[in-house]
């Protein structure tokens, strides 16, 4: 293998808060910060994300598609 990594799982918890972003258009995107190496107090370092079957979708509606990409950004001290 040319890489190594980790995979995390999330268990249901009453403290979790979930957001559903509906009505997105083809020219819109949603950016998630999935990891941050900074360990500052109060900084969220991990973001869970998921998918689900929307029971409000009409029969025969086109299947939604998503494209997942990863980007690594490096910042200097104080940036």
């Amino acid at each position: 293998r040319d890489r190594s990594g980790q995979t995390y799982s999330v268990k249901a918890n009453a403290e979790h808060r979930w957001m559903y972003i509906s009505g997105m258009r083809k020219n819109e995107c949603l950016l998630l910060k999935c990891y941050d190496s900074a360990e500052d107090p109060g900084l969220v370092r991990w973001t869970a994300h998921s998918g689900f079957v929307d029971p409000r979708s009409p029969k025969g509606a086109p299947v939604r598609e998503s494209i997942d990409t990863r980007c690594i950004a490096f910042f200097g001290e104080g940036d």
Side-chain angles (χ1 to χ4, degrees):
R1 290 178 75 156
D2 62 349
R3 64 180 178 84
S4 64
Q6 298 175 337
T7 301
Y8 289 86
S9 61
V10 178
K11 287 184 164 185
N13 183 319
E15 296 293 315
H16 290 164
R17 297 295 174 256
W18 295 91
M19 295 179 68
Y20 171 58
I21 311 297
S22 66
M24 290 182 68
R25 297 178 180 90
K26 290 182 180 182
N27 64 343
E28 296 177 314
C29 70
L30 179 65
L31 180 65
L32 298 172
K33 177 178 80 168
C34 293
Y35 174 76
D36 194 327
S37 60
E39 297 182 15
D40 301 338
L43 179 70
V44 175
R45 297 188 65 205
W46 311 97
T47 302
H49 61 286
S50 183
F52 65 97
V53 175
D54 187 347
R56 301 174 306 162
S57 295
K59 297 277 187 216
V63 177
R64 291 195 58 130
E65 295 181 37
S66 68
I67 299 172
D68 293 287
T69 60
R70 293 176 186 249
C71 173
I72 300 175
F74 296 94
F75 297 93
E77 195 66 36
D79 287 344

